[in-house]
Amino acid sequence: MRRLLAGFLTGSIVILAGSYITGIEEGPWGSAHARSDLGSGKSFLCPSPEHHDGDAIRCGSKGRSMRLYAIDAPEMPGACRSGRRCTQGNAFASRDHLAALTKGRSVSCHVLDQDRYGRKVVRCFADQMDLSCAMVHDGYAVERYGKLRC
């Protein structure tokens, strides 16, 4: 009985240590979620990703929208401020393509920086596929504000 308990405790410690090192925590029902102390360099799982446009991601219905690293997608109608160089294209098609890339997949992100609006700049992957690279490769965004290595 003691060996069984010791094995259980050792396994639990290893799992908790791994979660701490990767910056990923388990939720109360076993689903991973982002830690509340996300800063630069933290990795996290993004459950139920939502997209307002083709270069942003929000993890679930709570929380703030985050900017995908090194890409710029077409702006939604009325969002391109006067004097700004906005990416040409269909904003709805771009958003829908990004949503299709994440739908039904395990999405993980890594915080790289913060933009001038206070949003986290993240590099996100859907089942190992880099979302920024896929959006540029598929023609729904352009590389801007950073250098992609796809």
Side-chain angles (χ1 to χ4, degrees), residues 57-145:
I57 188 167
R58 178 190 317 263
C59 298
S61 59
K62 294 183 180 176
R64 192 162 184 209
S65 181
M66 298 173 287
R67 177 96 181 171
L68 290 175
Y69 173 72
I71 67 170
D72 194 25
E75 299 295 335
M76 291 304 217
C80 187
R81 293 181 316 277
S82 178
R84 182 169 175 246
R85 185 182 91 188
C86 292
T87 299
Q88 298 298 305
N90 184 326
F92 296 101
S94 180
R95 177 202 57 204
D96 294 347
H97 186 70
L98 180 57
L101 291 175
T102 61
K103 184 175 180 162
R105 293 187 167 97
S106 175
V107 177
S108 61
C109 299
H110 183 80
V111 178
L112 300 173
D113 203 354
Q114 191 172 39
D115 70 9
R116 62 183 171 166
Y117 303 108
R119 295 177 298 182
K120 298 209 182 302
V121 177
V122 294
R123 191 103 191 229
C124 294
F125 299 84
D127 291 340
Q128 321 298 298
M129 173 184 49
D130 185 310
L131 293 176
S132 294
C133 290
M135 290 296 288
V136 171
H137 178 268
D138 297 345
Y140 291 95
V142 296
E143 185 175 351
R144 189 172 290 153
Y145 311 121

Side-chain angles (χ1 to χ4, degrees), residues 40-70:
S40 184
K42 300 286 185 180
S43 296
F44 58 99
L45 295 179
C46 183
S48 307
E50 296 177 356
H51 311 283
H52 169 72
D53 58 23
D55 55 20
I57 188 167
R58 178 190 317 263
C59 298
S61 59
K62 294 183 180 176
R64 192 162 184 209
S65 181
M66 298 173 287
R67 177 96 181 171
L68 290 175
Y69 173 72

